[in-house]
């Protein structure tokens, strides 16, 4: 039986770095990573593909690279992983003042980028606005007992 390669996304803790890797034996790979890591690792999901697809993800998020295959959990990366694997990751909790500050900075950044035609920066700031808005909706729903 031929094994199928997948690209996997593993996150350290609730809001730590995200590893983008590839394997044809997911269970063994995640277990080996956990053995070597001090923090609990969460498998966010997988997508079909091997090294070529992995390289695409590494290139797309090169600015977020910490070291090797570990990347900062930027809003753009979190949203891309959510979209690719169909899960909702948990962004860090924030208080009202922090939320308002981050939301305003993201909106201003998107507007400034749009004015100069910088679509890459615009997309990153817009992704931040979307994630913050979803985070707020989830927090409000949790407080009221509703669904977000």
């Amino acid at each position: 039986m031929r094994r199928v390669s997948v690209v996997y996304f593993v996150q350290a803790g609730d809001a730590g770095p995200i590893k983008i890797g590839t394997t044809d034996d997911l269970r063994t790979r995640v277990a080996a990573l956990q053995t070597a890591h001090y923090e609990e690792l969460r498998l966010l999901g997988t997508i079909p593909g091997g090294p070529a697809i992995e390289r695409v993800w590494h290139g797309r998020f090169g600015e977020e690279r910490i070291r090797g295959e570990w990347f900062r959990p930027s809003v753009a990366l979190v949203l891309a992983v959510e979209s690719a694997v169909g899960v909702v990751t948990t962004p860090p909790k924030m208080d009202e003042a922090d939320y308002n500050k981050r939301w305003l900075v993201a909106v201003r950044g998107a507007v400034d980028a749009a004015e100069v035609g910088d679509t890459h920066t615009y997309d990153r700031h817009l992704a931040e606005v979307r994630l913050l808005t979803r985070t707020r909706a989830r927090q409000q729903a949790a407080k009221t007992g509703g669904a977000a």
Side-chain angles (χ1 to χ4, degrees), residues 3-4 6-10 19-37 41 43 46 54 58 68-70:
R3 290 188 175 185
V4 177
V6 296
V7 174
Y8 62 87
F9 305 92
V10 170
K19 179 171 177 27
I20 303 171
T22 186
T23 185
D24 62 1
D25 187 351
L26 184 62
R27 186 179 318 192
T28 301
R29 181 64 182 137
V30 172
L33 288 170
Q34 186 61 72
T35 298
H37 206 282
L41 299 177
L43 177 64
T46 64
E54 177 192 36
H58 287 186
E69 296 182 332
W70 288 93

Side-chain angles (χ1 to χ4, degrees), residues 6 10 17 31 34 65 67 74 93-94 98 100 108-109 116:
V6 296
V10 170
Q34 186 61 72
R65 186 183 307 271
R67 176 177 289 150
S74 69
K93 290 188 172 33
M94 62 187 93
D98 188 38
N100 290 335
R108 284 184 180 158
V116 298

